[in-house]
PDB file of all heavy atoms in Angstrom:
ATOM      1  N   ASP A  27      -4.814   2.761   9.297  1.00  0.00           N
ATOM      2  CA  ASP A  27      -4.926   4.053   9.906  1.00  0.00           C
ATOM      3  C   ASP A  27      -6.207   4.794   9.533  1.00  0.00           C
ATOM      4  O   ASP A  27      -6.909   5.418  10.346  1.00  0.00           O
ATOM      5  CB  ASP A  27      -3.690   4.961   9.650  1.00  0.00           C
ATOM      6  CG  ASP A  27      -2.424   4.433  10.255  1.00  0.00           C
ATOM      7  OD1 ASP A  27      -2.503   3.542  11.121  1.00  0.00           O
ATOM      8  OD2 ASP A  27      -1.361   4.893   9.830  1.00  0.00           O
ATOM      9  N   CYS A  28      -6.528   4.692   8.255  1.00  0.00           N
ATOM     10  CA  CYS A  28      -7.780   5.320   7.742  1.00  0.00           C
ATOM     11  C   CYS A  28      -8.992   4.632   8.330  1.00  0.00           C
ATOM     12  O   CYS A  28      -9.934   5.305   8.805  1.00  0.00           O
ATOM     13  CB  CYS A  28      -7.780   5.259   6.238  1.00  0.00           C
ATOM     14  SG  CYS A  28      -9.269   6.017   5.497  1.00  0.00           S
ATOM     15  N   LEU A  29      -9.043   3.345   8.332  1.00  0.00           N
ATOM     16  CA  LEU A  29     -10.202   2.601   8.827  1.00  0.00           C
ATOM     17  C   LEU A  29     -10.414   2.786  10.335  1.00  0.00           C
ATOM     18  O   LEU A  29     -11.574   2.894  10.756  1.00  0.00           O
ATOM     19  CB  LEU A  29     -10.010   1.110   8.533  1.00  0.00           C
ATOM     20  CG  LEU A  29     -10.220   0.800   7.039  1.00  0.00           C
ATOM     21  CD1 LEU A  29      -9.808  -0.684   6.834  1.00  0.00           C
ATOM     22  CD2 LEU A  29     -11.563   1.050   6.533  1.00  0.00           C
ATOM     23  N   VAL A  30      -9.393   2.956  11.127  1.00  0.00           N
ATOM     24  CA  VAL A  30      -9.501   3.097  12.550  1.00  0.00           C
ATOM     25  C   VAL A  30     -10.175   4.421  12.902  1.00  0.00           C
ATOM     26  O   VAL A  30     -10.830   4.546  13.981  1.00  0.00           O
ATOM     27  CB  VAL A  30      -8.209   2.890  13.290  1.00  0.00           C
ATOM     28  CG1 VAL A  30      -7.283   4.106  13.215  1.00  0.00           C
ATOM     29  CG2 VAL A  30      -8.429   2.487  14.750  1.00  0.00           C
ATOM     30  N   GLU A  31     -10.089   5.387  12.046  1.00  0.00           N
ATOM     31  CA  GLU A  31     -10.677   6.705  12.279  1.00  0.00           C
ATOM     32  C   GLU A  31     -12.187   6.727  12.033  1.00  0.00           C
ATOM     33  O   GLU A  31     -12.852   7.686  12.476  1.00  0.00           O
ATOM     34  CB  GLU A  31     -10.018   7.764  11.401  1.00  0.00           C
ATOM     35  CG  GLU A  31      -8.545   8.029  11.736  1.00  0.00           C
ATOM     36  CD  GLU A  31      -8.406   8.648  13.117  1.00  0.00           C
ATOM     37  OE1 GLU A  31      -9.237   9.504  13.510  1.00  0.00           O
ATOM     38  OE2 GLU A  31      -7.454   8.254  13.828  1.00  0.00           O
ATOM     39  N   LEU A  32     -12.715   5.734  11.369  1.00  0.00           N
ATOM     40  CA  LEU A  32     -14.136   5.676  11.021  1.00  0.00           C
ATOM     41  C   LEU A  32     -14.891   5.029  12.195  1.00  0.00           C
ATOM     42  O   LEU A  32     -14.385   4.170  12.889  1.00  0.00           O
ATOM     43  CB  LEU A  32     -14.406   4.881   9.768  1.00  0.00           C
ATOM     44  CG  LEU A  32     -13.691   5.393   8.522  1.00  0.00           C
ATOM     45  CD1 LEU A  32     -13.956   4.426   7.347  1.00  0.00           C
ATOM     46  CD2 LEU A  32     -14.168   6.831   8.165  1.00  0.00           C
ATOM     47  N   THR A  33     -16.158   5.511  12.375  1.00  0.00           N
ATOM     48  CA  THR A  33     -17.007   4.823  13.339  1.00  0.00           C
ATOM     49  C   THR A  33     -17.448   3.497  12.769  1.00  0.00           C
ATOM     50  O   THR A  33     -17.292   3.274  11.569  1.00  0.00           O
ATOM     51  CB  THR A  33     -18.256   5.657  13.646  1.00  0.00           C
ATOM     52  OG1 THR A  33     -19.059   5.731  12.440  1.00  0.00           O
ATOM     53  CG2 THR A  33     -17.912   7.116  14.069  1.00  0.00           C
ATOM     54  N   PRO A  34     -17.949   2.593  13.605  1.00  0.00           N
ATOM     55  CA  PRO A  34     -18.456   1.338  13.038  1.00  0.00           C
ATOM     56  C   PRO A  34     -19.456   1.532  11.982  1.00  0.00           C
ATOM     57  O   PRO A  34     -19.453   0.850  10.950  1.00  0.00           O
ATOM     58  CB  PRO A  34     -19.017   0.611  14.280  1.00  0.00           C
ATOM     59  CG  PRO A  34     -18.220   1.122  15.403  1.00  0.00           C
ATOM     60  CD  PRO A  34     -17.990   2.606  15.067  1.00  0.00           C
ATOM     61  N   ARG A  35     -20.394   2.474  12.163  1.00  0.00           N
ATOM     62  CA  ARG A  35     -21.404   2.720  11.120  1.00  0.00           C
ATOM     63  C   ARG A  35     -20.753   3.199   9.815  1.00  0.00           C
ATOM     64  O   ARG A  35     -21.133   2.817   8.773  1.00  0.00           O
ATOM     65  CB  ARG A  35     -22.370   3.806  11.648  1.00  0.00           C
ATOM     66  CG  ARG A  35     -23.473   4.074  10.597  1.00  0.00           C
ATOM     67  CD  ARG A  35     -24.569   5.049  11.187  1.00  0.00           C
ATOM     68  NE  ARG A  35     -25.645   5.150  10.249  1.00  0.00           N
ATOM     69  CZ  ARG A  35     -25.701   5.932   9.263  1.00  0.00           C
ATOM     70  NH1 ARG A  35     -24.684   6.756   8.950  1.00  0.00           N
ATOM     71  NH2 ARG A  35     -26.756   6.016   8.427  1.00  0.00           N
ATOM     72  N   GLU A  36     -19.774   4.123   9.955  1.00  0.00           N
ATOM     73  CA  GLU A  36     -19.116   4.621   8.751  1.00  0.00           C
ATOM     74  C   GLU A  36     -18.381   3.508   8.034  1.00  0.00           C
ATOM     75  O   GLU A  36     -18.431   3.415   6.792  1.00  0.00           O
ATOM     76  CB  GLU A  36     -18.076   5.727   9.135  1.00  0.00           C
ATOM     77  CG  GLU A  36     -18.759   7.039   9.539  1.00  0.00           C
ATOM     78  CD  GLU A  36     -17.815   8.000  10.169  1.00  0.00           C
ATOM     79  OE1 GLU A  36     -16.795   7.605  10.726  1.00  0.00           O
ATOM     80  OE2 GLU A  36     -18.130   9.237  10.158  1.00  0.00           O
ATOM     81  N   ARG A  37     -17.703   2.653   8.821  1.00  0.00           N
ATOM     82  CA  ARG A  37     -17.013   1.491   8.168  1.00  0.00           C
ATOM     83  C   ARG A  37     -18.007   0.609   7.445  1.00  0.00           C
ATOM     84  O   ARG A  37     -17.709   0.124   6.346  1.00  0.00           O
ATOM     85  CB  ARG A  37     -16.243   0.704   9.189  1.00  0.00           C
ATOM     86  CG  ARG A  37     -14.872   1.233   9.495  1.00  0.00           C
ATOM     87  CD  ARG A  37     -14.006   0.236  10.301  1.00  0.00           C
ATOM     88  NE  ARG A  37     -14.620  -0.101  11.589  1.00  0.00           N
ATOM     89  CZ  ARG A  37     -14.529   0.659  12.697  1.00  0.00           C
ATOM     90  NH1 ARG A  37     -13.890   1.818  12.677  1.00  0.00           N
ATOM     91  NH2 ARG A  37     -15.110   0.268  13.825  1.00  0.00           N
ATOM     92  N   SER A  38     -19.133   0.377   8.048  1.00  0.00           N
ATOM     93  CA  SER A  38     -20.163  -0.459   7.429  1.00  0.00           C
ATOM     94  C   SER A  38     -20.690   0.208   6.110  1.00  0.00           C
ATOM     95  O   SER A  38     -20.820  -0.525   5.107  1.00  0.00           O
ATOM     96  CB  SER A  38     -21.381  -0.646   8.371  1.00  0.00           C
ATOM     97  OG  SER A  38     -20.953  -1.437   9.483  1.00  0.00           O
ATOM     98  N   LEU A  39     -20.939   1.488   6.151  1.00  0.00           N
ATOM     99  CA  LEU A  39     -21.398   2.146   4.946  1.00  0.00           C
ATOM    100  C   LEU A  39     -20.356   2.109   3.845  1.00  0.00           C
ATOM    101  O   LEU A  39     -20.657   1.844   2.686  1.00  0.00           O
ATOM    102  CB  LEU A  39     -21.735   3.579   5.292  1.00  0.00           C
ATOM    103  CG  LEU A  39     -22.993   3.792   6.086  1.00  0.00           C
ATOM    104  CD1 LEU A  39     -23.157   5.256   6.538  1.00  0.00           C
ATOM    105  CD2 LEU A  39     -24.264   3.365   5.326  1.00  0.00           C
ATOM    106  N   VAL A  40     -19.103   2.350   4.212  1.00  0.00           N
ATOM    107  CA  VAL A  40     -18.007   2.312   3.225  1.00  0.00           C
ATOM    108  C   VAL A  40     -17.839   0.938   2.650  1.00  0.00           C
ATOM    109  O   VAL A  40     -17.720   0.712   1.445  1.00  0.00           O
ATOM    110  CB  VAL A  40     -16.669   2.830   3.836  1.00  0.00           C
ATOM    111  CG1 VAL A  40     -15.536   2.621   2.885  1.00  0.00           C
ATOM    112  CG2 VAL A  40     -16.808   4.321   4.160  1.00  0.00           C
ATOM    113  N   ARG A  41     -17.919  -0.096   3.519  1.00  0.00           N
ATOM    114  CA  ARG A  41     -17.817  -1.470   3.050  1.00  0.00           C
ATOM    115  C   ARG A  41     -18.911  -1.856   2.098  1.00  0.00           C
ATOM    116  O   ARG A  41     -18.683  -2.389   1.042  1.00  0.00           O
ATOM    117  CB  ARG A  41     -17.847  -2.412   4.237  1.00  0.00           C
ATOM    118  CG  ARG A  41     -17.765  -3.899   3.829  1.00  0.00           C
ATOM    119  CD  ARG A  41     -17.911  -4.793   5.052  1.00  0.00           C
ATOM    120  NE  ARG A  41     -16.818  -4.671   5.951  1.00  0.00           N
ATOM    121  CZ  ARG A  41     -15.710  -5.414   5.880  1.00  0.00           C
ATOM    122  NH1 ARG A  41     -15.591  -6.339   4.965  1.00  0.00           N
ATOM    123  NH2 ARG A  41     -14.762  -5.231   6.768  1.00  0.00           N
ATOM    124  N   ASP A  42     -20.144  -1.431   2.492  1.00  0.00           N
ATOM    125  CA  ASP A  42     -21.286  -1.725   1.580  1.00  0.00           C
ATOM    126  C   ASP A  42     -21.158  -0.996   0.255  1.00  0.00           C
ATOM    127  O   ASP A  42     -21.379  -1.598  -0.846  1.00  0.00           O
ATOM    128  CB  ASP A  42     -22.608  -1.336   2.247  1.00  0.00           C
ATOM    129  CG  ASP A  42     -22.990  -2.248   3.395  1.00  0.00           C
ATOM    130  OD1 ASP A  42     -22.319  -3.244   3.596  1.00  0.00           O
ATOM    131  OD2 ASP A  42     -23.973  -1.954   4.066  1.00  0.00           O
ATOM    132  N   ALA A  43     -20.805   0.285   0.294  1.00  0.00           N
ATOM    133  CA  ALA A  43     -20.637   1.043  -0.937  1.00  0.00           C
ATOM    134  C   ALA A  43     -19.520   0.550  -1.803  1.00  0.00           C
ATOM    135  O   ALA A  43     -19.649   0.442  -3.052  1.00  0.00           O
ATOM    136  CB  ALA A  43     -20.460   2.512  -0.597  1.00  0.00           C
ATOM    137  N   ALA A  44     -18.430   0.204  -1.189  1.00  0.00           N
ATOM    138  CA  ALA A  44     -17.268  -0.336  -1.883  1.00  0.00           C
ATOM    139  C   ALA A  44     -17.656  -1.670  -2.604  1.00  0.00           C
ATOM    140  O   ALA A  44     -17.338  -1.906  -3.740  1.00  0.00           O
ATOM    141  CB  ALA A  44     -16.054  -0.523  -0.950  1.00  0.00           C
ATOM    142  N   GLY A  45     -18.295  -2.517  -1.838  1.00  0.00           N
ATOM    143  CA  GLY A  45     -18.742  -3.832  -2.361  1.00  0.00           C
ATOM    144  C   GLY A  45     -19.681  -3.674  -3.489  1.00  0.00           C
ATOM    145  O   GLY A  45     -19.511  -4.349  -4.545  1.00  0.00           O
ATOM    146  N   MET A  46     -20.644  -2.854  -3.327  1.00  0.00           N
ATOM    147  CA  MET A  46     -21.691  -2.668  -4.388  1.00  0.00           C
ATOM    148  C   MET A  46     -21.036  -2.060  -5.641  1.00  0.00           C
ATOM    149  O   MET A  46     -21.288  -2.456  -6.776  1.00  0.00           O
ATOM    150  CB  MET A  46     -22.803  -1.843  -3.911  1.00  0.00           C
ATOM    151  CG  MET A  46     -23.912  -1.709  -4.952  1.00  0.00           C
ATOM    152  SD  MET A  46     -24.457  -3.253  -5.712  1.00  0.00           S
ATOM    153  CE  MET A  46     -25.225  -4.014  -4.312  1.00  0.00           C
ATOM    154  N   GLY A  47     -20.125  -1.082  -5.418  1.00  0.00           N
ATOM    155  CA  GLY A  47     -19.451  -0.420  -6.565  1.00  0.00           C
ATOM    156  C   GLY A  47     -18.623  -1.448  -7.317  1.00  0.00           C
ATOM    157  O   GLY A  47     -18.621  -1.470  -8.539  1.00  0.00           O
TER     158      GLY A  47
END
Side-chain angles (χ1 to χ4, degrees):
D27 293 346
C28 180
L29 290 171
V30 78
E31 292 296 321
L32 300 175
T33 67
R35 182 175 187 277
E36 290 168 334
R37 276 192 301 279
S38 295
L39 290 171
V40 170
R41 178 184 295 270
D42 288 353
M46 183 50 68

